[in-house]
Amino acid sequence: MNITRENIDELNAVVKVDIAKEDYEGKVDKILNDYRKNANIPGFRKGHVPMGMVKKQYGKAVLVDEVNKLLQEGLNKYLTEEKLDVLGNPIPKEQKDFDWDKDNYSFEFELGLAPEFEVNLDGLDKKVTKYNIVADEKMVNDQVEHLQKQYGKMKTKETAEEGDTVAGVFKNEEEGIENETSFELSKIKGKRNLNKFVGAKVGDTLSLKTKNLFEDDHDLINHLSVDHDRAHDLDVEVTFTINEINERELADLDQEFFDKLFGKDQVKSVTELKDKIKEDAAKQFQQQSDQQLMNDITEKLIEQTNFELPKEFLQKWIQTVGEKPLTDEEAVEEYEKSEKGLRYQLIEGKVVNDNELNVNFDDLKAFTSEKIKQQMAQFGQTDPSQKELDDIAARILSNQEEVKRLSEQLMNEKLLEFYKEKVKFEEKEVTYDEFVKAIYK
């Protein structure tokens, strides 16, 4: 077998694979001899079928199969040994006059080559903002009140006010609706609907329209007992008869309340409670801030790292890789959708390789064990043994899908820490509302 390469340009090449008769003849003859020994053909004893008959019946299929095996093995070995960084997969060139009855064969493949480029992290300086999100006083106070409501007691009332919970029955005989339910008035959409409830008393029957009744249309599924598809388009009159009105009294900010939230004597004052809420919020906000930072870095790297891609090759390759072939127009459209992602894959790969950020098994095992430990802590298991962690990690890492998922998470963390260390960001302290406005402006 002989393999040669012709470079068309920096991004495209053609590889020619020549396979001679001596490359495949021995393997083909061995397989045909095995067929002959085991063939059951009427009129011949087993093992005594004429080789000519075996070749006529099986020879072409065996030849094609063995040549294709040699071709794939040789091509893969060549790409590895030559250290060619190819995009997509080699595309076989069409040969109109190909003849399997010849002894020697030549095959040609088009290659798309990855471009050479450098990633300049210095160019990101002051172009990316690192948001430090803090919980402001209003957010902390709102969370305190939410927790007081959550752990407070229900008090029955005669007249409804905003924030109350009402229980009753929705009805519409023609639509077959009759369902007993309860809900907080905060779920009602719009002042017009809410005003029908405010001031209403136990025993009152309200007339309502289902369209835009709740903030979330999916609430109609539970409160009217209708199916999902019907809930989205439902626009009918219903009545709601109030059977009960309840107000949730706020729990007292005392030690019993603090212990219910965080465990005995972990928090001993309102100040400590607010500090704890701020601390927990900071952890949650950090994840959002980090994700946004990663998104912004990705966008900037794609924007400032310029290189050409073998566009025509990739469009041709995209036509062949799906379940069904794409038209030229469909392939162009698909390429345009995926080009940005491909560019970042190449940039990320360059950063990873140049800075030796690769994930090894020990890294992955330690990362998995830490994730397990965090999850166990959420369920009160704060001190698992190393053997427990190792056993669970081993089960998880025996699943290839989990290995892929966790490896991607770990690589993302390594990249983020690398960027935090190497790039000089413009840091900005913001409230959560300010963060949302800045991101979605």
Side-chain angles (χ1 to χ4, degrees):
M1 183 188 304
N2 184 47
I3 302 180
T4 56
R5 180 175 85 248
E6 178 188 357
N7 291 327
I8 307 301
D9 54 39
E10 291 182 351
L11 300 174
N12 295 274
V14 173
V15 168
K16 184 180 180 184
V17 182
D18 294 318
I19 297 179
K21 185 176 182 180
E22 55 266 26
D23 293 324
Y24 62 80
E25 186 176 35
K27 292 181 180 180
V28 171
D29 288 346
K30 182 180 183 306
I31 292 170
L32 291 176
N33 277 320
D34 289 341
Y35 278 9
R36 183 182 182 222
K37 291 175 185 175
N38 297 298
N40 287 310
I41 296 178
F44 298 96
R45 285 184 297 149
K46 187 175 181 178
H48 289 77
V49 179
M51 178 55 78
M53 184 175 289
V54 173
K55 285 185 176 181
K56 185 176 181 181
Q57 187 167 353
Y58 301 109
K60 182 64 67 68
V62 172
L63 170 66
V64 171
D65 189 45
E66 287 305 306
V67 168
N68 277 322
K69 284 181 183 176
L70 276 173
L71 182 61
Q72 291 303 318
E73 289 171 4
L75 185 58
N76 290 336
K77 184 179 179 183
Y78 175 81
L79 295 178
T80 301
E81 290 178 347
E82 293 293 311
K83 298 180 180 178
L84 292 178
D85 192 0
V86 298
L87 301 178
N89 292 315
I91 300 175
K93 294 187 73 172
E94 185 178 353
Q95 299 183 64
K96 293 181 180 178
D97 300 324
F98 190 85
D99 186 1
W100 282 105
D101 291 327
K102 293 182 178 180
D103 290 335
N104 302 321
Y105 309 106
S106 291
F107 303 89
E108 290 186 339
F109 293 86
E110 296 178 55
L111 300 183
L113 305 177
E116 294 286 335
F117 61 92
E118 296 298 324
V119 178
N120 179 19
L121 293 177
D122 292 338
L124 294 177
D125 284 4
K126 304 300 181 183
K127 291 184 180 180
V128 177
T129 301
K130 182 178 182 294
Y131 293 98
N132 297 320
I133 310 171
V134 295
D136 61 1
E137 187 175 353
K138 182 180 181 302
M139 175 176 283
V140 172
N141 289 337
D142 287 348
Q143 181 63 12
V144 170
E145 184 175 338
H146 172 75
L147 291 169
Q148 285 181 277
K149 284 183 178 179
Q150 185 179 342
Y151 286 88
K153 297 177 181 178
M154 297 295 285
K155 181 179 75 174
T156 302
K157 300 172 59 178
E158 283 298 314
T159 304
E161 297 178 84
E162 289 189 37
D164 288 345
T165 297
V166 296
V169 179
F170 279 110
K171 278 188 181 181
N172 179 311
E173 291 185 9
E174 291 183 3
E175 296 290 332
I177 295 171
E178 183 172 353
N179 190 55
E180 186 172 355
T181 187
S182 66
F183 50 88
E184 293 181 6
L185 292 185
S186 60
K187 292 189 174 184
I188 295 297
K189 185 175 183 178
K191 273 288 184 184
R192 176 181 289 185
N193 287 325
L194 182 60
N195 286 340
K196 292 184 179 182
F197 286 91
V198 174
K201 300 181 183 299
V202 173
D204 286 353
T205 298
L206 311 179
S207 180
L208 304 161
K209 276 189 170 291
T210 57
K211 187 174 178 64
N212 295 323
L213 177 57
F214 291 99
E215 290 285 354
D216 186 346
D217 285 342
H218 290 91
D219 284 337
L220 292 173
I221 298 171
N222 296 322
H223 298 313
L224 273 67
S225 189
V226 295
D227 62 37
H228 181 274
D229 293 337
R230 191 178 174 201
H232 278 285
D233 299 317
L234 192 63
D235 185 8
V236 298
E237 291 272 355
V238 291
T239 61
F240 181 73
T241 301
I242 300 175
N243 294 335
E244 190 176 331
I245 301 170
N246 291 295
E247 176 186 16
R248 188 175 288 277
E249 293 183 328
L250 298 181
D252 291 331
L253 295 171
D254 55 18
Q255 193 60 48
E256 181 183 355
F257 175 65
F258 301 149
D259 289 349
K260 283 179 181 177
L261 290 174
F262 302 109
K264 187 169 176 57
D265 295 332
Q266 295 299 305
V267 169
K268 296 183 179 180
S269 68
V270 174
T271 300
E272 289 183 12
L273 169 64
K274 291 184 176 182
D275 287 343
K276 182 67 174 170
I277 290 172
K278 283 184 179 180
E279 180 186 328
D280 291 344
K283 292 177 183 176
Q284 181 181 347
F285 292 155
Q286 185 64 51
Q287 292 178 350
Q288 292 175 278
S289 175
D290 283 348
Q291 186 57 57
Q292 188 58 44
L293 179 61
M294 196 67 174
N295 293 344
D296 289 343
I297 290 171
T298 298
E299 290 294 329
K300 290 296 182 184
L301 283 175
I302 293 171
E303 180 184 311
Q304 74 171 34
T305 310
N306 297 315
F307 52 80
E308 295 296 322
L309 289 170
K311 182 176 177 180
E312 292 182 5
F313 169 84
L314 289 170
Q315 289 173 357
K316 189 185 293 187
W317 173 68
I318 286 171
Q319 284 186 280
T320 67
V321 293
E323 291 183 5
K324 62 176 185 178
L326 300 181
T327 64
D328 291 344
E329 292 77 14
E330 289 171 333
V332 170
E333 183 181 349
E334 194 62 33
Y335 172 78
E336 289 173 352
K337 288 180 186 176
S338 59
E339 182 184 2
K340 192 174 182 179
L342 173 58
R343 286 183 177 278
Y344 184 66
Q345 283 181 13
L346 291 170
I347 292 168
E348 181 183 285
K350 178 74 172 171
V351 173
V352 168
N353 291 331
D354 286 355
N355 299 281
E356 298 181 352
L357 300 177
N358 297 294
V359 171
N360 59 45
F361 184 75
D362 288 339
D363 291 337
L364 186 59
K365 183 179 176 183
F367 179 74
T368 304
S369 294
E370 186 58 33
K371 290 290 183 186
I372 295 166
K373 197 172 180 179
Q374 291 171 6
Q375 290 182 353
M376 293 175 77
Q378 292 177 2
F379 295 96
Q381 295 174 268
T382 56
D383 191 26
S385 68
Q386 191 59 48
K387 185 178 185 310
E388 284 180 283
L389 294 173
D390 288 345
D391 288 347
I392 298 172
R395 287 199 299 272
I396 292 173
L397 296 177
S398 66
N399 182 320
Q400 289 304 307
E401 286 297 316
E402 284 297 298
V403 169
K404 182 175 182 293
R405 183 181 67 83
L406 289 165
S407 295
E408 288 173 355
Q409 285 185 15
L410 177 53
M411 178 53 70
N412 196 63
E413 286 194 10
K414 283 194 168 194
L415 278 167
L416 182 61
E417 290 307 310
F418 174 76
Y419 290 142
K420 283 182 177 180
E421 180 184 338
K422 297 296 182 182
V423 179
K424 297 175 183 177
F425 302 107
E426 178 185 351
E427 297 204 34
K428 189 173 184 180
E429 187 172 288
V430 293
T431 65
Y432 184 72
D433 287 343
E434 289 170 338
F435 172 73
V436 171
K437 287 179 183 177
I439 298 309
Y440 297 105
K441 61 185 175 182

